[in-house]
């Protein structure tokens, strides 16, 4: 068989903003209209009598539109000389239409999303501060996730989007600490991120075909601590390190099958940046990621080292650089898939 596929995506936005300064603070407000549209087609042909003939069995189509008008307002102020804060609110209404001749559907759905936000920063000292933030956000599915037609990966594996995906809604709380000096820069943050209708990639069997698709899991919860550290012990060397350690748990089902997964994960990296001669840099960076946990999937630990060399020439008008990735040949990983 052979197929002809395509689409005509259009994404447009119109925004207007307003700002007014009071003695006690600043008010910002605005409106935004976002519109996207895509006319997707997937035509499949099979060989019949020496000629290619169209088959409706595996073909598909989708006309998707989404209109999102939104309003927002935010007030910024301070209390004394050490505490500043922001209070905001955002509301948006989305109108989504799905039209498919192949699936014989014509659907229209409207939903409202309300997103308050609150953040504050307290100055502990001239070079230190403590911050707290509460926010809400919405993540809308992309067109590769929505595209309904089935594309072949190999003889037994296929990939297909899901036109009925819903946006995922997340609530996040952050507590951060920041330290700045000529030698040391440190940022540490504890967070909790709770997402409903979490967009998940899963696999399932259909007539001996393994199909990868996307569904909305019930929820996804991540809680952890992240930090970044930069030390400049001398003019010719910088040392940077960063780590993110969190526990994730995802809950949900698909066609009666459990797609839940949970576990601890750490992503870390360290960078040594040397400047041994004028205009030259040597960078050595190491990455480590412990097992990660997704719906139906668990990945193994991975790690790798990269080395980069850069030289600026002609008073900075020209730069020559070389990057060697995975110099120890350790960037190997395995994936365990948990499905029926």
């Amino acid at each position: 068989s052979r197929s002809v596929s395509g689409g005509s995506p259009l994404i447009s936005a119109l925004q207007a903003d307003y700002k007014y300064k009071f003695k006690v603070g600043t008010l910002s407000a605005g409106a935004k209209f976002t519109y996207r549209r895509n006319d997707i087609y997937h035509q499949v042909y099979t060989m019949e009598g020496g000629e290619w003939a169209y088959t409706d069995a595996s073909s598909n189509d989708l006309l998707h539109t989404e209109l999102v008008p939104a309003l927002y307002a935010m007030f910024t102020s301070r209390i004394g000389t050490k505490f500043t804060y922001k209070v905001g609110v955002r509301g948006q209404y989305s109108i989504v239409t799905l039209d498919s001749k192949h699936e014989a559907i014509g659907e229209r759905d409207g939903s409202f999303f309300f997103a308050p936000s609150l953040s504050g920063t307290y100055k502990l000292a001239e070079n230190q501060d403590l911050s707290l933030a509460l926010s809400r956000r919405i993540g809308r599915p992309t067109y590769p996730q929505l595209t309904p037609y089935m594309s072949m990966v190999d003889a037994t594996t296929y990939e297909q989007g899901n036109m009925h995906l819903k946006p995922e809604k997340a609530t996040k709380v952050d507590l951060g600490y920041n330290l700045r000096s000529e030698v040391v820069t440190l940022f540490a943050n504890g967070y909790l991120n709770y997402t409903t209708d979490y967009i998940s990639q899963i696999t399932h069997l259909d007539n001996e075909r393994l199909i990868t698709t996307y569904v909305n899991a019930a929820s996804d919860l991540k809680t952890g601590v992240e930090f970044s550290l930069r030390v400049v012990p001398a003019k010719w060397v910088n040392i940077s390190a960063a780590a993110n350690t969190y526990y994730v748990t995802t809950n949900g089902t698909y066609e009666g099958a459990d797609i839940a997964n949970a576990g601890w994960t750490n992503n870390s990296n360290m960078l040594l940046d040397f400047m041994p001669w004028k205009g030259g840099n040597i960078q050595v960076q190491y990455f480590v990621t412990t097992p990660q946990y997704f719906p139906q999937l668990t990945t193994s630990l991975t790690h790798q080292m990269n080395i980069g060399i850069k030289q600026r020439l002609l008073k900075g008008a020209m730069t020559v650089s070389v990057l060697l990735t995975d110099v120890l040949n350790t960037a190997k990983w395995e994936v365990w898939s948990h499905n029926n």
Side-chain angles (χ1 to χ4, degrees):
S1 65
R2 73 172 187 179
S3 63
V4 179
S5 309
S8 304
L10 169 68
I11 300 176
S12 57
L14 176 65
Q15 183 170 343
D17 298 298
Y18 172 80
K19 180 180 287 188
Y20 186 82
K21 291 186 177 181
F22 300 89
K23 289 184 178 180
V24 294
T26 302
L27 174 66
S28 300
K32 184 176 182 179
F33 294 85
T34 305
Y35 176 76
R36 65 171 177 165
R37 178 186 188 276
N38 200 353
D39 192 356
I40 302 166
Y41 62 88
H42 181 62
Q43 301 168 348
V44 179
Y45 299 83
T46 59
M47 183 67 70
E48 296 181 5
E51 295 183 357
W52 291 108
Y54 171 79
T55 173
D56 191 58
S58 300
S59 299
N60 215 325
D61 68 286
L62 174 65
L63 175 60
H64 172 272
T65 68
E66 183 179 64
L67 175 64
V68 184
L71 297 173
Y72 84 91
M74 178 172 289
F75 181 72
T76 305
S77 185
R78 66 171 57 244
I79 298 176
T81 59
K82 293 188 175 182
F83 182 69
T84 60
Y85 67 92
K86 295 180 181 180
V87 180
V89 63
R90 182 182 181 91
Q92 59 184 55
Y93 187 80
S94 64
I95 303 170
V96 178
T97 65
L98 300 174
D99 291 285
S100 173
K101 297 178 181 178
H102 183 270
E103 301 293 333
I105 64 171
E107 300 178 1
R108 178 187 175 95
D109 181 57
S111 61
F112 180 74
F113 180 73
F114 179 72
S117 63
L118 174 65
S119 64
T121 301
Y122 183 77
K123 199 169 188 178
L124 298 172
E126 187 63 29
N127 64 339
Q128 300 179 62
D129 54 62
L130 191 67
S131 61
L132 176 67
L134 170 66
S135 60
R136 287 264 292 161
R137 66 169 179 81
I138 185 169
R140 303 187 181 278
T142 63
Y143 276 125
Q145 295 170 334
L146 291 169
T147 300
Y149 62 74
M150 193 176 299
S151 58
M152 179 182 291
V153 179
D154 56 41
T156 59
T157 309
Y158 296 79
E159 185 173 4
Q160 183 179 29
N162 179 2
M163 70 173 73
H164 297 288
L165 278 179
K166 295 181 292 185
E168 54 184 22
K169 282 80 69 177
T171 302
K172 190 177 183 184
V173 180
D174 293 273
L175 177 62
Y177 169 77
N178 199 15
L179 168 66
R180 302 169 301 277
S181 71
E182 292 184 0
V183 178
V184 177
T185 302
L186 171 66
F187 174 74
N189 181 57
Y191 62 90
L192 184 148
N193 191 1
Y194 179 71
T195 305
T196 57
D197 291 326
Y198 177 66
I199 297 177
S200 310
Q201 187 180 55
I202 67 162
T203 58
H204 67 100
L205 287 173
D206 180 18
N207 295 327
E208 299 184 355
R209 295 181 301 183
L210 186 65
I211 300 175
T212 298
T213 187
Y214 300 89
V215 299
N216 289 108
S219 65
D220 179 83
L221 176 64
K222 286 183 181 177
T223 179
V225 178
E226 58 184 346
F227 84 91
S228 62
L229 174 67
R230 183 172 181 265
V231 181
V232 187
K235 292 183 178 180
W236 55 272
V237 60
N238 292 334
I239 303 172
S240 301
N244 183 13
T245 302
Y246 60 90
Y247 183 80
V248 59
T249 176
T250 304
N251 296 302
T253 59
Y254 175 70
E255 295 184 351
D258 190 2
I259 60 172
N261 207 352
W264 284 97
T265 296
N266 173 268
N267 298 310
S268 301
N269 72 84
M270 176 172 284
L271 171 66
L272 302 179
D273 188 0
F274 301 97
M275 291 151 279
W277 57 79
K278 185 177 180 180
N281 285 77
I282 299 176
Q283 294 185 341
V284 181
Q285 192 165 19
Y286 208 96
F287 299 87
V288 178
T289 300
T290 64
Q292 298 183 77
Y293 301 87
F294 306 95
Q296 289 191 327
L297 298 174
T298 300
T299 66
S300 65
L301 181 145
T302 62
H303 60 102
Q304 75 177 68
M305 176 187 287
N306 299 338
I307 298 178
I309 302 174
K310 182 186 297 184
Q311 179 64 53
R312 290 178 292 278
L313 304 171
L314 303 177
K315 297 182 179 182
M318 179 179 178
T319 301
V320 178
S321 60
V322 176
L323 176 63
L324 305 175
T325 60
D326 190 24
V327 295
L328 301 179
N329 193 30
T330 58
K332 301 176 182 179
W333 52 275
E334 295 177 332
V335 175
W336 292 271
S337 178
H338 316 292
N339 55 62
N340 292 335

